[in-house]
C-alpha cells in the first residue's frame, strides 16, 4: 500500500511542477498576446456616465468607477480643475479606472491613459468625476443626452494633453 501512496505522491508532484511551468509560460507570453490583440488604429474606447455637458466650452463632466485595487491616496491632494491622467484597466478597452496621477500623461507604452481635468469623487471615492473636452463633431450628440446617460469615448493611445484626450464621444448605444 505504501508503494502506491509513494507513486501517487510522485505523480502529484510531477503534475504540480508541470502546472507551474505551464503558468509561467502563459504569463511570459501574455505581453505578446496583448500587443497582437491591441487595436490596430492606435485608439481605445472607454465609457462613463454623463454628469453634465457645457455646450459653450464644449466640456463634458463625466464619472466612472474606480477599480477596487486603485490607490486613492492621490485624490486627497487634488483640487477641482487640476490636470490629471486617468489610467484605465484593460488591454484594448477602458473597463474601469486603475489609477489617477497628477498632471498630463507622459505616455506610458501599452497603458490606456486619458488626460483629464479633476472635478471630485462620489460615494467615498468609488467614482471619479472628471472633465474632458468634446470634439466639435460630437457636441450635438451630447446636447441631446440627459445627465445620467452613458457615453462611449474614443481616445488615442498617444494622447498626452487635455486637448487631445477625446477624438469622439457618443451615446453608449450609438455604434455609428
Amino acid at each position: 500500500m505504501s508503494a502506491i501512496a509513494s507513486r501517487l505522491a510522485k505523480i502529484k508532484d510531477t503534475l504540480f511542477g508541470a502546472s507551474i511551468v505551464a503558468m509561467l509560460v502563459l504569463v511570459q507570453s501574455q505581453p505578446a498576446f496583448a500587443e497582437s490583440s491591441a487595436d490596430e488604429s492606435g485608439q481605445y474606447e472607454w465609457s462613463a456616465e454623463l454628469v453634465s455637458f457645457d455646450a459653450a466650452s464644449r466640456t463634458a463632466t463625466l464619472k466612472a468607477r474606480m477599480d477596487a485595487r486603485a490607490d486613492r491616496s492621490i485624490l486627497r491632494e487634488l483640487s477641482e480643475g487640476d490636470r490629471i491622467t486617468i489610467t484605465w484597466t484593460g488591454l484594448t478597452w477602458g473597463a474601469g479606472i486603475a489609477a489617477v496621477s497628477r498632471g498630463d500623461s507622459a505616455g506610458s507604452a501599452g497603458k490606456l491613459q486619458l488626460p483629464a481635468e479633476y472635478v471630485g469623487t462620489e460615494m467615498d471615492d468609488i467614482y471619479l468625476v472628471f472633465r474632458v473636452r468634446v470634439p466639435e463633431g460630437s457636441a450635438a450628440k451630447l446636447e441631446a443626452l440627459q445627465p445620467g446617460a452613458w457615453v462611449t469615448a474614443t481616445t488615442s493611445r498617444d494622447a498626452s494633453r487635455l486637448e487631445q484626450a477625446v477624438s469622439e464621444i457618443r451615446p453608449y448605444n450609438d455604434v455609428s
Side-chain angles (χ1 to χ4, degrees):
M1 199 57 105
S2 66
I4 294 174
S6 173
R7 185 170 214 164
L8 285 174
K10 285 182 183 179
I11 291 172
K12 181 180 172 187
D13 287 344
T14 302
L15 289 174
F16 181 73
S19 67
I20 289 177
V21 169
M23 179 90 63
L24 289 172
V25 168
L26 286 173
V27 169
Q28 292 296 325
S29 66
Q30 188 173 358
F33 172 77
E35 290 171 10
S36 67
S37 67
D39 188 353
E40 297 293 322
S41 71
Q43 298 183 330
Y44 70 94
E45 292 185 331
W46 50 272
S47 291
E49 182 181 338
L50 179 66
V51 174
S52 65
F53 174 61
D54 181 0
S57 65
R58 280 198 355 251
T59 58
T61 302
L62 307 165
K63 71 177 174 181
R65 187 173 179 89
M66 293 190 64
D67 187 272
R69 300 164 291 184
D71 179 6
R72 290 165 167 74
S73 62
I74 186 74
L75 300 176
R76 290 184 266 298
E77 302 171 14
L78 297 171
S79 299
E80 183 170 350
D82 286 350
R83 297 278 176 111
I84 58 172
T85 297
I86 297 169
T87 301
W88 296 96
T89 61
L91 298 173
T92 60
W93 173 268
I97 297 174
V100 176
S101 57
R102 181 184 294 279
D104 289 333
S105 166
S108 298
K111 292 191 176 184
L112 306 181
Q113 294 187 318
L114 171 71
E117 184 179 298
Y118 179 78
V119 174
T121 64
E122 289 185 3
M123 296 185 66
D124 295 328
D125 298 341
I126 292 174
Y127 291 93
L128 178 71
V129 183
F130 59 96
R131 273 189 209 98
V132 294
R133 294 208 19 95
V134 173
E136 195 170 316
S138 298
K141 292 179 179 182
L142 291 190
E143 285 179 321
L145 296 177
Q146 296 296 316
W150 279 78
V151 296
T152 298
T154 303
T155 296
S156 174
R157 287 183 178 268
D158 62 358
S160 60
R161 295 188 333 271
L162 185 60
E163 298 75 24
Q164 303 170 315
V166 176
S167 57
E168 178 190 21
I169 190 166
R170 64 186 189 283
Y172 184 78
N173 291 326
D174 184 357
V175 293
S176 60

